[in-house]
Amino acid sequence: MNRIRKLAAVVKEGVSNPEKIKKGLKVLKNQGPVIFKERLSNSINYEPGYGRTRKVKLKSYSGDILFSIVMPVYNVDLKWLDKAIESIEKQNYKNWEICIADDCSPNQEVREHLLSISNNKIKVKLLDKNQGISGATNEAASLASGDYILLMDNDDELAHSALHEFYQKIKKDGSEILYSDMDIIDAKGRTRDPLCKPDWSPDLFLSQMYLGHLVGFKKSLFDEVGGFRSEFNGSQDYDLLLRVTEKTDKIGHVAEILYHWRDLPSSTAANPESKPYAQIAGLNAIQEHLNRVYGSGKAIAHETDNLFVYDVRYPMEEEPMVSIIIPIKDHVELLKAAIDSIFEKTTYKHYEIIVLNNNSEKEETFAYLRELVECHENVRVEDALFEFNWSKLNNYGMQFAKGDVFVCLNNDVKVIEPEWLTRLVEKAIRSDVGVVGGLLLYEDNTIQHAGVVIGMGGWADHVFKGMTPQHYGSPFISPMVTRNVSAVTGACLAVSRKTIEKIGGFNEQFIVCGSDIELALRANKHGLVNIYDPNVKLYHFESKSRDASKIPQIDFDLSDKMYKDYRKNGDPYFNRNLDYYCCQPKIRTSAVLAESDKEEKMLLRRKRETGLPQLDTNVYEITPFTFRKADYENRRINLLVPSINAEHVFGGISTALKFFDTLVNALGYDARIILTDAEPDKEAIKKYSGNYTFVKAEDDLKDKKQIVPYSNRFNRSIPVSEKDYFLFTGWWTAYCCQDAYVGFESTFGIKPNTFLYFIQDYEPGFYSWSTKYLLADSTYKNDYPTIAIFNSMLLKEYFENNHYHFAHSFAFDPVLNDGLRNALEKIPEQVRKKKQILVYGRPGTERNAFNLVVAALKKWVFMQPDIEEWEILSAGEMHRTVALGNGKELTSVGKLSIEEYANMLEESYAGISLMCSPHPSYPPLEMSVFDVKTITNTYANKDLKEFNENIISLDNISPMNIAKHLVEICKSYQTEVRHIAANPLYVKNDHVFDFVEDIKKILDEE
């Protein structure tokens, strides 16, 4: 009944305002049903009441603050000018005026249009001479009689509540400078690329003009600094605000998207390189500001490789003494790598290294420490013979330190950037700075640390973790700009002696973790800022999944109290509209509903009233696809794949791309690759540009080969025609496409053509029994006809045994990697083998059962008679060394290159590779053809014992059974083994995808 009432209300609205119906139909056609429904619900608000549905009149506000919106105009397209003015006229806060100065537009129509404006709240001044952007804006500002000036471009739009949000912020905090979040709006009114900014971050502001739009300030401040200066045209806003921020520290941030920056071909929004002179103007503005604040030569601004991003350095007349404090307990190979990198890379000269020996036990450790002290005059070793306490250890090290700056450093790091120490020190000695940290990378060159966000994950975590260290700025600030943060990790933390004397040392109540964050927050409370500098680069070989079981309860209890206010109010250097349960910045699903989302505000209010935690009910893998109807004449095959970036293209994605190329060539269809999870990086764009055109989702291009980035898909749709076919490569790509077709078919009557599903594992098994398990499972049971392509006959059999049905099914078996095949062909008849066990070790991937392998090895080391002669290595993912007992360790070599992996396979005698899945994973097959005696496991119908004689396939996969079989393997050790050329079809098969001809016949008959 409620739906009928709403429909009646919509019809009534259409009769009284037919223009809305036209606009609605246009949105439905161009952007699809999902966005149409959102726009409809946002444009007409209804509430139930006494058996009827009535239209709700949006509330208007008035107040005692007059906002003067300053708008310079020059040859603007009148339709954009009208939209800009209309967005102001529709503000729910009514105390405003618009101050327009036309900068002598050659187009007489613009000037005539301005003169025709009859609204007495709009003041217009026509200039007789062109004065440029700064001069014209000053002239517009001269018309202002308001308390605050707001800057607005003549083709942009304000959100409906922009002025009221600013008014409330001023009344609450007395802000004298204000800025808001923003996004980009295109010519069709579609928004994209939201930028959710942190609260006032002075070091970020010296890195880039992140305040952007919407920005406003007291008119008295504008008058005091003398307005805009034409010598800084292109970065005139930056110059003005740098000067204004010198006059006040009352800078407020409204964490709402209040400004829509128009994307037109001539605008900086569309093309940052359209104003190259602005880069230099910004640099000059920063340098002048630095000279005023610090004095000439005390701080120097530099350009960077990224447009409109700057790097401020603080030259030191003398290098203060630095004490690098490294606590250790054994793991001498890690310490040696760390210290070697310091001595080899560091350009800063005036430092000492204090190694704190915390109960080491191994003679090799003591031998290395003696050698270290003998070879280096600036290295000291101090015994810290007490129970491990990270806080106490670093405080203890400071007692011996001679430095003016302390650098707390983990033993599992490796220096990348030669100036790392210089950069840490020059910032740490600033009188306004608490702690300083840098960019730490995993061995695979993804981000391990780029600043700590308090409240992330309910506790605290590293923002950007797992992402590529590249410059981008949506939906949050780039990881590659210097900025202020609430805290940095203690794995690499610099703090001056003066700061420690002012605020105290580390809180020794924290034992393992938390005191690094507590120290940084304490610095904030003393009025100091903490800094993250991405130019301080080190590797940090920490496992991507921390073992929380080793953290004592006291650390959790203290952290719980410390994070309480941040869970409630958010981290000021992050943004409340971003998802606090995801390290990789993304908009909260509820946050995109923006201005009229009363339900979200009600939930937050209820949370505050009850004290109950807010539930995160989102499944981020299924962020919806939206299709719009397109006229595309040719048949086209669409590959839905997470990424084409080099760091992701291995294993499953690599195989999927190879299959796609084969399929496209066989079918003769046009090809489109839709990237669902990651934007293409520069290398990927360069690699694929020769064959493909990179296309925005909102563009309807006819190129026969396209790549469409679609990871950022809020408010964006993809053109789909009756001739499009879709190829899935993961359960979430299947789900989103299948779901999108439901609305697409009901709206446009377009049914999908036969789906193709490239199945490389039983993906529900990747999750415990849960929502994602059921969602993944549902994609195999979709009602639309589907061709399944299985990565192995065993996997196909598993699906058939479990009663999954597809319209057609094909399978191919794995083939050895080309690089490994080339290495294998060079192996001699007799292969020399070491007493070496190779483990496929991925602690971050549960289905590889890493802990089970370790448990087996811990038993084996006490069962193997000549154990002292054996070495145990782990490849696949970098992790800490694991003590196995009896003097043996499992040593990680991380992710190897193909050449390194081939060499290790050739020299290893035995191997262990487990996979809790019906898919026969590649490592045991690869090991076996390189003559490695390999222990693996059965699973359901999977049993690899028939693959070749080198595979030992265990049904009972208990640690003791693995250990017993490993002992039997090692008993037969020989220095040389005869190489057996096994499994020729696995080693080389040029006909893997021959079944595509059968797929072609099926599709051609449709």
Side-chain angles (χ1 to χ4, degrees):
M1 182 63 71
N2 195 39
R3 289 184 178 179
I4 295 173
R5 289 170 183 158
K6 285 188 176 183
L7 179 61
V10 172
V11 171
K12 184 177 179 181
E13 178 72 12
V15 172
S16 61
N17 191 349
E19 193 60 32
K20 276 194 175 180
I21 295 296
K22 291 181 181 178
K23 289 182 178 179
L25 292 174
K26 187 176 287 187
V27 169
L28 181 62
K29 177 182 178 183
N30 292 332
Q31 297 180 257
V34 174
I35 294 174
F36 171 75
K37 289 176 183 176
E38 287 181 7
R39 294 289 178 87
L40 181 64
S41 63
N42 286 339
S43 63
I44 304 175
N45 294 294
Y46 301 92
E47 63 180 15
Y50 302 104
R52 71 186 189 280
T53 301
R54 61 185 178 83
K55 186 175 178 181
V56 177
K57 186 176 181 180
L58 293 175
K59 189 173 181 180
S60 294
Y61 300 93
S62 60
D64 58 352
I65 296 174
L66 174 63
F67 291 108
S68 297
I69 301 167
V70 170
M71 185 185 296
V73 169
Y74 182 78
N75 265 16
V76 63
D77 187 325
L78 293 180
K79 69 177 179 181
W80 304 130
L81 175 61
D82 287 344
K83 281 189 172 293
I85 293 173
E86 181 184 9
S87 75
I88 300 169
E89 291 175 327
K90 288 185 175 180
Q91 290 296 300
N92 60 4
Y93 181 86
K94 300 304 180 183
N95 195 6
W96 54 264
E97 63 178 8
I98 305 176
C99 304
I100 298 176
D102 177 75
D103 195 21
C104 198
S105 293
N107 185 351
Q108 191 62 28
E109 187 180 357
V110 173
R111 297 167 73 85
E112 291 173 358
H113 185 76
L114 290 172
L115 289 174
S116 70
I117 295 175
S118 58
N119 191 331
N120 59 10
K121 296 174 72 172
I122 301 176
K123 303 175 180 178
V124 177
K125 188 174 187 178
L126 304 182
L127 306 184
D128 297 327
K129 181 181 178 181
N130 183 273
Q131 296 188 26
I133 183 64
S134 292
T137 311
N138 284 336
E139 291 288 352
S142 71
L143 302 173
S145 54
D147 306 285
Y148 281 75
I149 287 177
L150 274 60
L151 304 178
M152 184 175 179
D153 290 348
N154 56 40
D155 51 8
D156 297 341
E157 295 183 28
L158 298 185
H160 175 67
S161 61
L163 299 184
H164 185 240
E165 293 284 357
F166 268 30
Y167 174 80
Q168 289 181 303
K169 186 69 175 176
I170 294 167
K171 287 297 184 180
K172 180 182 178 182
D173 298 334
S175 302
E176 297 184 341
I177 303 172
L178 302 96
Y179 64 98
S180 76
D181 298 345
M182 58 181 283
D183 61 19
I184 292 175
I185 187 170
D186 68 11
K188 294 183 179 180
R190 297 172 297 199
T191 57
R192 61 175 174 83
D193 296 342
L195 175 56
C196 299
K197 307 168 188 175
D199 288 352
W200 174 238
S201 176
D203 285 277
L204 174 58
F205 193 52
L206 293 177
S207 299
Q208 62 178 177
M209 171 41 171
Y210 82 96
L211 300 191
H213 299 291
L214 178 67
V215 69
F217 35 80
K218 292 189 77 171
K219 184 177 185 297
S220 58
L221 289 174
F222 179 81
D223 294 337
E224 183 180 352
V225 301
F228 292 97
R229 300 188 293 179
S230 59
E231 60 266 39
F232 295 95
N233 280 355
S235 287
Q236 70 282 346
D237 293 3
Y238 202 177
D239 167 60
L240 175 74
L241 285 161
L242 284 164
R243 287 180 285 128
V244 172
T245 56
E246 296 168 21
K247 304 297 181 182
T248 181
D249 60 358
K250 296 179 178 179
I251 303 171
H253 168 223
V254 178
E256 300 285 351
I257 294 176
L258 303 181
Y259 195 94
H260 307 299
W261 190 15
R262 183 78 64 187
D263 176 357
L264 297 173
S266 59
S267 71
T268 314
N271 179 15
E273 299 185 43
S274 63
K275 296 180 180 178
Y277 62 90
Q279 172 88 347
I280 302 301
L283 183 70
N284 294 338
I286 296 173
Q287 189 58 61
E288 192 177 290
H289 166 79
L290 294 172
N291 292 343
R292 288 191 298 269
V293 174
Y294 292 99
S296 181
K298 299 294 185 181
I300 308 296
H302 302 273
E303 289 186 78
T304 69
D305 292 336
N306 299 312
L307 281 172
F308 306 120
V309 175
Y310 306 94
D311 179 25
V312 175
R313 304 297 303 275
Y314 301 87
M316 297 173 285
E317 294 180 4
E318 295 181 359
E319 290 187 345
M321 180 67 171
V322 179
S323 298
I324 302 173
I325 301 170
I326 309 177
I328 69 154
K329 181 181 179 181
D330 294 317
H331 297 294
V332 70
E333 73 287 350
L334 292 176
L335 177 63
K336 185 177 187 308
I339 288 182
D340 285 351
S341 73
I342 293 172
F343 283 121
E344 290 169 8
K345 292 277 190 178
T346 307
T347 53
Y348 195 92
K349 300 301 181 185
H350 199 197
Y351 66 89
E352 64 174 356
I353 298 175
I354 301 173
V355 178
L356 300 176
N357 176 27
N358 185 220
N359 302 314
S360 293
E361 299 172 347
K362 297 183 178 180
E363 178 53 37
E364 62 190 57
T365 302
F366 298 115
Y368 175 68
L369 294 179
R370 287 192 296 269
E371 177 188 339
L372 199 57
V373 173
E374 290 171 2
C375 295
H376 301 282
E377 294 181 356
N378 60 341
V379 176
R380 301 176 59 183
V381 175
E382 299 290 345
D383 287 330
L385 305 180
F386 47 81
E387 189 174 350
F388 176 80
N389 179 308
W390 188 90
S391 313
K392 184 177 180 179
L393 279 167
N394 282 282
N395 287 341
Y396 184 69
M398 291 178 192
Q399 297 177 22
F400 300 99
K402 301 174 184 176
D404 300 304
V405 175
F406 307 128
V407 174
C408 303
L409 201 66
N410 272 21
N411 66 332
D412 57 348
V413 300
K414 186 176 180 181
V415 174
I416 300 172
E417 167 54 47
E419 286 205 308
W420 73 284
L421 193 54
T422 308
R423 286 179 172 276
L424 287 174
V425 173
E426 67 185 32
K427 291 180 175 64
I429 61 175
R430 277 172 35 189
S431 61
D432 62 333
V433 170
V435 302
V436 186
L439 174 63
L440 304 183
L441 302 176
Y442 291 112
E443 191 187 32
D444 63 2
N445 287 305
T446 57
I447 294 172
Q448 190 269 341
H449 170 269
V452 173
V453 171
I454 314 298
M456 183 166 277
W459 299 90
D461 210 336
H462 302 173
V463 65
F464 302 113
K465 186 165 67 175
M467 299 181 71
T468 304
Q470 292 181 339
H471 176 63
Y472 43 87
S474 176
F476 185 54
I477 299 302
S478 166
M480 303 311 291
V481 296
T482 299
R483 69 184 198 282
N484 299 112
V485 291
S486 287
V488 299
T489 177
C492 177
L493 179 153
V495 59
S496 70
R497 181 183 291 273
K498 287 183 178 179
T499 295
I500 292 295
E501 290 171 350
K502 180 178 181 179
I503 71 173
F506 292 102
N507 184 342
E508 294 182 12
Q509 288 183 284
F510 292 90
I511 297 172
V512 175
C513 66
S515 63
D516 48 357
I517 295 171
E518 192 276 336
L519 181 74
L521 296 181
R522 202 176 342 131
N524 281 158
K525 290 178 180 178
H526 281 78
L528 304 176
V529 296
N530 304 314
I531 300 175
Y532 157 75
D533 184 345
N535 300 292
V536 176
K537 292 183 184 178
L538 300 90
Y539 285 115
H540 184 199
F541 302 121
E542 180 189 61
S543 171
K544 290 189 180 182
S545 56
R546 169 176 275 173
D547 185 359
S549 65
K550 296 181 180 179
I551 301 173
Q553 187 60 40
I554 183 65
D555 287 1
F556 285 109
D557 294 341
L558 292 170
S559 296
D560 185 48
K561 294 177 182 177
M562 179 169 56
Y563 302 149
K564 185 175 181 181
D565 289 342
Y566 292 90
R567 290 192 186 111
K568 178 180 178 181
N569 301 315
D571 187 322
Y573 296 110
F574 199 49
N575 189 294
R576 65 180 180 82
N577 294 311
L578 299 172
D579 184 357
Y580 272 74
Y581 286 85
C582 182
C583 292
Q584 303 183 4
K586 62 170 64 176
I587 299 285
R588 287 189 302 119
T589 304
S590 54
V592 301
L593 300 181
E595 300 171 31
S596 61
D597 189 9
K598 295 180 181 179
E599 182 181 358
E600 174 70 11
K601 292 180 180 178
M602 180 186 72
L603 288 171
L604 290 172
R605 184 170 66 249
R606 190 175 295 165
K607 175 191 170 186
R608 288 194 294 268
E609 292 170 354
T610 63
L612 293 175
Q614 188 177 4
L615 294 176
D616 182 11
T617 57
N618 300 309
V619 183
Y620 297 105
E621 287 86 350
I622 62 171
T623 301
F625 292 0
T626 304
F627 294 163
R628 66 178 184 274
K629 185 179 180 182
D631 296 322
Y632 194 86
E633 297 177 355
N634 300 334
R635 284 191 173 191
R636 176 169 58 186
I637 186 77
N638 295 268
L639 175 69
L640 297 171
V641 69
S643 173
I644 55 171
N645 297 338
E647 69 268 25
H648 304 135
V649 179
F650 57 89
I653 292 180
S654 175
T655 307
L657 288 168
K658 289 178 182 177
F659 173 74
F660 181 65
D661 286 342
T662 305
L663 183 65
V664 169
N665 290 334
L667 295 175
Y669 295 179
D670 292 354
R672 182 167 61 171
I673 300 175
I674 299 172
L675 308 178
T676 63
D677 292 30
E679 293 289 308
D681 59 23
K682 290 181 180 177
E683 289 184 10
I685 293 172
K686 183 178 179 181
K687 178 180 178 180
Y688 285 88
S689 290
N691 294 320
Y692 285 87
T693 303
F694 282 81
V695 178
K696 293 181 180 178
E698 50 267 31
D699 291 339
D700 293 337
L701 299 188
K702 304 299 183 185
D703 300 61
K704 293 183 179 296
K705 286 196 170 187
Q706 302 179 18
I707 293 178
V708 181
Y710 198 47
S711 57
N712 177 20
R713 47 187 174 267
F714 169 65
N715 225 4
R716 304 174 78 193
S717 58
I718 287 181
V720 175
S721 77
E722 296 177 346
K723 302 286 185 70
D724 275 306
Y725 291 78
F726 283 89
L727 169 61
F728 316 139
T729 58
W731 75 263
W732 62 97
T733 66
Y735 180 91
C736 291
C737 185
Q738 292 165 351
D739 185 61
Y741 259 110
V742 174
F744 195 53
E745 181 180 356
S746 64
T747 302
F748 299 107
I750 298 178
K751 290 185 177 182
N753 293 304
T754 298
F755 289 137
L756 292 90
Y757 202 156
F758 196 69
I759 301 175
Q760 303 198 69
D761 210 327
Y762 181 65
E763 291 186 304
F766 292 4
Y767 314 98
S768 57
W769 293 345
S770 62
T771 294
K772 292 179 183 177
Y773 179 101
L774 294 172
L775 287 173
D777 181 69
S778 74
T779 64
Y780 306 136
K781 301 172 179 177
N782 194 270
D783 292 335
Y784 293 121
T786 302
I787 298 174
I789 302 102
F790 293 98
N791 186 357
S792 79
M793 285 300 300
L794 287 172
L795 189 59
K796 181 174 181 290
E797 289 173 7
Y798 178 84
F799 273 74
E800 291 172 349
N801 293 342
N802 284 274
H803 310 294
Y804 291 97
H805 302 288
F806 301 94
H808 304 275
S809 296
F810 299 93
F812 64 95
D813 280 316
V815 177
L816 186 65
N817 174 281
D818 289 344
L820 291 179
R821 186 183 73 243
N822 293 335
L824 189 65
E825 290 173 349
K826 298 174 184 177
I827 287 183
E829 289 185 8
Q830 293 294 321
V831 185
R832 294 189 64 82
K833 293 286 185 179
K834 296 181 180 179
K835 286 190 172 182
Q836 181 171 291
I837 312 295
L838 177 60
V839 169
Y840 185 50
R842 295 205 298 170
T845 306
E846 286 292 334
R847 60 186 177 276
N848 289 121
F850 180 76
N851 292 348
L852 176 58
V853 174
V854 170
L857 291 171
K858 284 182 176 179
K859 293 183 179 296
W860 171 74
V861 295
F862 289 98
M863 297 166 62
Q864 184 64 34
D866 56 346
I867 187 61
E868 69 280 355
E869 299 176 17
W870 287 86
E871 184 176 15
I872 312 102
L873 302 178
S874 172
E877 177 185 312
M878 177 56 72
H879 58 78
R880 290 180 180 273
T881 299
V882 179
L884 300 175
N886 204 14
K888 304 308 293 182
E889 294 178 333
L890 175 63
T891 303
S892 176
V893 295
K895 189 181 293 183
L896 303 173
S897 68
I898 290 296
E899 293 77 13
E900 292 168 334
Y901 182 39
N903 290 336
M904 188 160 289
L905 289 171
E906 185 173 346
E907 67 185 20
S908 296
Y909 184 76
I912 305 175
S913 178
L914 306 182
M915 181 70 155
C916 185
S917 157
H919 173 58
S921 63
Y922 295 167
L925 309 182
E926 293 162 349
M927 291 180 183
S928 70
V929 295
F930 274 84
D931 309 293
V932 179
K933 302 293 184 183
T934 307
I935 295 174
T936 189
N937 61 291
T938 64
Y939 184 95
N941 63 307
K942 178 180 74 176
D943 189 346
L944 302 180
K945 65 185 177 185
E946 301 300 329
F947 187 72
N948 64 46
E949 63 183 31
N950 287 322
I951 287 187
I952 296 89
S953 182
L954 300 182
D955 188 40
N956 174 3
I957 204 67
S958 70
M960 180 56 75
N961 199 38
I962 295 174
K964 286 180 178 178
H965 280 82
L966 188 56
V967 169
E968 290 301 313
I969 290 172
C970 294
K971 278 183 183 178
S972 61
Y973 170 74
Q974 304 172 53
T975 306
E976 289 191 353
V977 300
R978 186 171 65 87
H979 172 58
I980 299 173
N983 309 97
L985 280 178
Y986 166 70
V987 172
K988 186 175 183 179
N989 184 355
D990 296 328
H991 303 282
V992 178
F993 301 132
D994 278 0
F995 58 85
V996 296
E997 293 297 330
D998 295 320
I999 294 177
K1000 183 178 188 305
K1001 291 178 183 177
I1002 294 169
L1003 298 184
D1004 285 348
E1005 291 174 359
E1006 290 189 349

